[in-house]
Each structure stands twice: as structure tokens, then as C-alpha cells.
Amino acid sequence: MSLAAENRKLLLKLTVIAVGMFGFGFAMVPFYKAICNVTGLNNLLNADRTPVNTQVDMTRSVTFQFDANTRGTTLKFKPLQRHVRMHPGEMTVIEYEVANLSEVPVVGQAIPSYGPKTAAGYVKKLECFCFRQQRLEAGEVRRMPVQFVLDGDLPRDVNTITLSYTYFEVNAAAAAPRAGGES
Amino acid sequence: MSAVLDTHGHDDHAHHPTGIMRWVTTTNHKDIGTMYLWFSFTMFLVGGIMALVIRTELFAPGLQIVDPERFNAMTTYHGLIMVFGAIMPAFVGFANWLIPMQIGAPDMAFPRMNNLSFWLLPPAALLLIVAQFTPGGGAGVGWTMYAPLTVQAPMSMDLTIFAVHILGASSIMGSINIITTILNMRAPGMGLMRIPLFCWTWLITAYLLIAVMPVLAGAVTMTLTDRHFGTTFFNAAGGGDPVLYQHIFWFFGHPEVYIIAIPAFGVISQIIPAFARKPLFGYTSMVYATASIAVLSFLVWAHHMYTVGMPVEGQLYFMYATVLIAVPTGVKVFNWVATMWRGSLTFETPMLFACGFLFLFTMGGFTGLVLSIVPIDVQLHDTYYVVAHFHYVMVAGALFSAFGGIYFWLPKWTGKMYNETLGKWHFWLSFIFFNMTFFVQHFLGLAGMPRRIPDYSLQFTEFNVISSIGAWGFGLSQLLFLYIVVSTIRSGKKAADKQWDGADSLEWTHLPSPPPYHSFETPPVLK
């Protein structure tokens, strides 16, 4: 084979690698989601399993604070209780209220986060409005519950946990239904 | 091979258009190498001016000369321009000039693609510069371009994304060219384990580039479609995740730092043996160490993101894997020192820069080890300690190596000798002002000064004043470098064909200074 032909062959092989790596970048998207699912990382949108040990630990109590933010939307969003004091293992339900004050229907979704972030693994949400999107008609005001249990294994030095929701407006293109996985 | 070569009978006179068209249409590796080097020096000045805007703003607490948005744009484009516009093209310039001469090839494997690779750079650079003057100003998102900030950034972000695409395409084509040249076009008898270490480092770097530049292209493409086409890769509302961006980016970003460092290792591996007048100690181990660094670089990306909330098992893995990289890097450093051991050392300017590299790069490596330790990194993340660390490896590492390489090969390229006294002045000014700028930033970082913020608390003032004066000194010293290079080209004394008596690669032993426009049209005979 002549040198020019050999060079062209190598060019082709290397181009295939480059194109493949471009694809690999995109393949990391589902791969990342699969890893998060398997390891239980970043499990924001699925309900947690009820803890096996539902014994209420009356010896300690934890202050739970509730926070609400909005991003890129005119919706009004707030918790109906600012804080509760509870025992680990105790089933708790509180409500948030979202109001669509505009004159058009809006689709939105809340994303939770925790402070301290290590608490996330111990807050077991059995039911939450954040697992799905909400469609709010013009002028609609809706109350939405979140039901959760605090795991008794919560480290003893954590006395206060903040549960913060950010409410996003889901634009039309992104409004494709997003299933909550295994729930 | 000879069948190809025989079609061109001319060997010592060049047939090419004159004036600007020579440079636009050239497919000659020497012309293209020269253009890469001048381009990168120009971008070095542009990025340097941005650095001086940053340092001048930080000369005193409070807001002085730029507003915070402009300041953030300056840090962003300083980073992008220095990485993609200055350092990377500089080493591609070295590769173009040297690889064909060092392996005894007449030119690069794909000369026309080589021309295209270069001419893609100026438009990309223009996009990065024009972005400063669009409505909303430059995107103050950092050179890492983290989502979700990039999704909300002004239109300059789109120009930046497009520039990254173009730069990526240019790098990938350049890499394909380099790999093909080294693998297919070596002179008879030039086995792979005989090529100069500079060629080896570029062969490995080129594979890294082909593997990761497309991943960066993918990441910025996702940002682009999130911005304009309704996808939600990184938008939490649509089920995306900003942390995903960081994973994709650093999968590119960590190999990228070795893409910058490894050719610098290659240049140093040419300079030190020449001035120690001894062959490089441990050639084979150098090759394997470089390859191990390249492989490991794919396995450690998340040490840039210890604080995103990854589980402790993940942190431990990335910590141990990162610490492991110190082993092959140590092999290289010890081999360089062993090459100098009992050599007949002289300290001309290239050797001074090589020694400066060795000393300061090792310090940068050590602060890297400090940062790889999770509990320490959690404290130092996003502080000036990180800024000091990576400037030790990027400036004192890659840039000093490039300066050393320019002084080393300038006599060969131009056939004229630079002014040794001025060269030494350039080294010592750069060395002192570099340390003045960046050494104190370690203390700032340890004291908790965050990076990318135009204002700071009063207790940081003294160190920032020192750092800013150092930065101006360093910047102005580079004008001396420009003067040295220009005066060498215009009126340097005639250089010998083998200017450095310890240099032993083909461009020194088989070619005159300057080399003919077309060299090695018939392959050299190797013993």
C-alpha cells in the first residue's frame, strides 16, 4: 500500500474515534442517570421506601424548617408551616401552597434540596408534590402535601434540618411527562 | 516512500507565492509552525491584558476599574484564551516545526488539513474577543462554563460556544495529522523507541486530544441546545442536572491539563540532555511514565468536584487515583534530575527556563497533591490556593517550557543567534515576577480569599498588592521577549548548524541552520 493510502486509512480510523467520543459525551447522560438510580444518589423524584424500623425515637427531637423559592416564574409558592418540631420515626405531613396569579395556565415542578446536605439520605419522602409536575389553571390556588419520616439513624449532631423547594416553570418544550422511575 | 518523494525534484529553493498569499495558502510545516507560534504569542498578549485588568482591579479592595460582570468576563476569557489560544497552539507550533525534522519526514502527513487547522484559529479567537462587545458583555461563567449559569448567560455565550467548537475541530485535525505523521512517516531505521521524546509526548498528547475534545464539544452542544432548543440536559425543571455538566466537562478537563503539560515535558526532555551533554536518563521509563499519566488522566476527573455532594466512597476513589499520578510524574522529575547529575552543565537561557520549569512545576505538582486530599480540598476549593496551584503548572510549567523551547530552537529556525544576555534577563525577570505574582496567592487561598470575585476583605490587601505588582512586572517582561525574538530575526548573529553541542536530534545533526524550506525530501540515513 502506498504511503498516501496508509495515511488516509489512519485518518479514517482516527476520525471514527473522534466521532465516537462525541457520541460518548452524550452517552454519559443516560449513564449518569443509571448510576444515580443504582446507587440511590440524587434520588429527588422518586418516593423512598418506608423505613423498616418505624419505632418513634421519643428521646430526641429535630426541628424541621421549610423553605420555598421560585425560579423563572411568576407563581407564588410558600409553605403553610414555617417549621415543625418532630421525633425521628414520626410520620409527618405538611402542606405547601402554590398560586398561579397569571391569566394563563402554567406547568411547574418543585425540586427539593436539604441543609445540611448530608441530611438528604435520612429524610424519607413517602409522598411529595415534587415527584410530578403540576398544571395550574389561570388564577388557581392549590395546596400540595409532602409526607415524610425522619430515619432514626440520623446523626446525633443534626438538630435542625431545612427542606427547601425551588419551584420551576416547565416550558412547553420541556413539559414532556417525566416518570418518577420505580415509584 | 521514495515514490512519493521523487515527484518533487527541487530541494533547496522554495516555490511559493509571496506576500500574504504565501501564508494563506501555505502547506509547508515550517510556515504553519511559524504562524501557530505568532498566533499564540498574540493571544498570549491578549489574554495577558485581560489578566492585568483582573490584577489591577484586585490591587485594592472595593471596585475600581471594572464592574463585577466585566470582571467575571475577564476571568472567563483570560482562561479560555490562554488555554485554547496561547498554550495549546504554541505547542502545536513546536510540533509542526519539529516533528517532521526530528523523524526525518519531508512534511506533515496531511499538509492541506494542516493549513485548515491553523486558519480555523483566527476566527475562533475573533469570536472570543468580539464576545466582549456584544449586548450583555462577555459571559462571566468561568473558563469551565458551568451550567446552569451558562444557560442564563447573555448572547456572548453563544459566540463562546461556537468558538470552542471551532477550536476543538482545529485541535482534532491537528492531532490526526501528528499521529499519522509520527506513525507512518518516520525515516527508515527510525524505530518508535528511537524518536526524540518530544515526538513521543506529542504522539500521546494527540491521542488525548482526539479522545476528549469531542467530549467538550458535546458538553457545549448540550449547553447550546439547553439555551435555545428546549432541551433540559442541565435544567433541573426538566429533569436535568447541573452536576452532570461538571462530570462531562471534567472528563474533558482533566486530560486537558495533561494535554497542556505533556508537550511541555517533551520540550524539557530535549533541552536538559543538550545542556547536560548526556543522553536523557531513562528514555524508556519516560515514555511509559508519559503514557501512564495519559491513561490515569481519564480516571480522576471528579477530584475537581469534591464539593458537589458525592458519597465518601467516590471521594476516596478519586483521591487515591489522583495521588497515584504523582508516581509517574515523579519518575519524570527524577529522570530529569538524573540526566543533569554529573553532566557537563552550562546554563544558557533555554537551560535556565528548563531549570525554572523543573523547580516551579514540581512545586505546582506538590500543591496539586495537597488539593487532591479531600478534607483539605473541601477547605480550599474555589480559593486563591487553587489559582496559585494551576498557575504554577500552567505558567511556570507549560509557558516556561515554551519559552525555553523558543530560545533552544530559535537559532535552528532562523539561522540566527539571540542575545544571550537579554535572554537571561528575560528569564530572571519572568522568574522573579512570576513568583511575586503567584506565590503569595497560596497564602491568600489558605486565608480563605475566594477566586473570581472583584472585591475582597481588607485583611487580604497586602498580598494582593504584591501579586498585582508582580503581574505587571511579569507582563512587561514579556515585551522584552518580543524584542529579543524580533531583533534575532532582524539582526541576530549567524548561528551554527549545531548551535548546542549536546543536542543530538536530526534537526541539529542532519540539517543546516536555518533548514531549507523543504527538508528531508530524501529520508536521512540513520546509523
Side-chain angles (χ1 to χ4, degrees), chain A residues 3 6-8 10-11 14-15 17-18 21-22 24-26 28-29 32-33 41-42 109 111 117 168 170 173-174 178, chain B residues 109-110 113 176 179-180 184-185 210-211 214-215 217-218 222 230 232-233 236-237 239 241 243-244 247 251 307 309 311:
Chain A
L3 177 65
E6 266 179 56
N7 286 351
R8 265 196 301 277
L10 193 54
L11 169 75
L14 295 170
T15 310
I17 297 180
M21 289 309 291
F22 186 71
F24 175 79
F26 283 86
M28 277 169 93
V29 178
Y32 176 77
K33 288 196 173 126
L41 285 171
N42 205 16
Q109 180 161 20
I111 301 290
K117 70 176 191 234
F168 291 90
V170 183
R178 172 167 161 81
Chain B
F110 306 106
M113 191 162 83
I176 291 176
I179 293 176
T180 312
N184 286 1
M185 298 184 61
I210 290 181
V215 177
M222 289 180 212
T232 54
F233 287 107
D241 188 341
V243 176
L244 170 65
H247 280 289
F251 184 83
T307 58

Side-chain angles (χ1 to χ4, degrees), chain A residues 37-100:
Chain A
N37 259 336
V38 170
T39 56
L41 285 171
N42 205 16
N43 180 17
L44 298 176
L45 303 179
N46 297 334
D48 296 298
R49 291 190 188 85
T50 319
V52 184
N53 181 3
T54 51
Q55 187 94 43
V56 179
D57 181 358
M58 302 299 283
T59 62
R60 59 190 288 220
S61 32
V62 174
T63 304
F64 229 96
Q65 302 176 327
F66 303 98
D67 179 44
N69 306 287
T70 54
R71 180 81 53 79
T73 172
T74 53
L75 297 174
K76 294 279 172 269
F77 180 54
K78 63 174 188 202
L80 293 180
Q81 281 163 286
R82 285 289 166 188
H83 53 87
V84 293
R85 206 158 164 75
M86 56 185 286
H87 303 295
E90 193 178 2
M91 186 75 74
T92 310
V93 181
I94 74 121
E95 283 186 317
Y96 273 69
E97 185 179 272
V98 61
N100 179 7

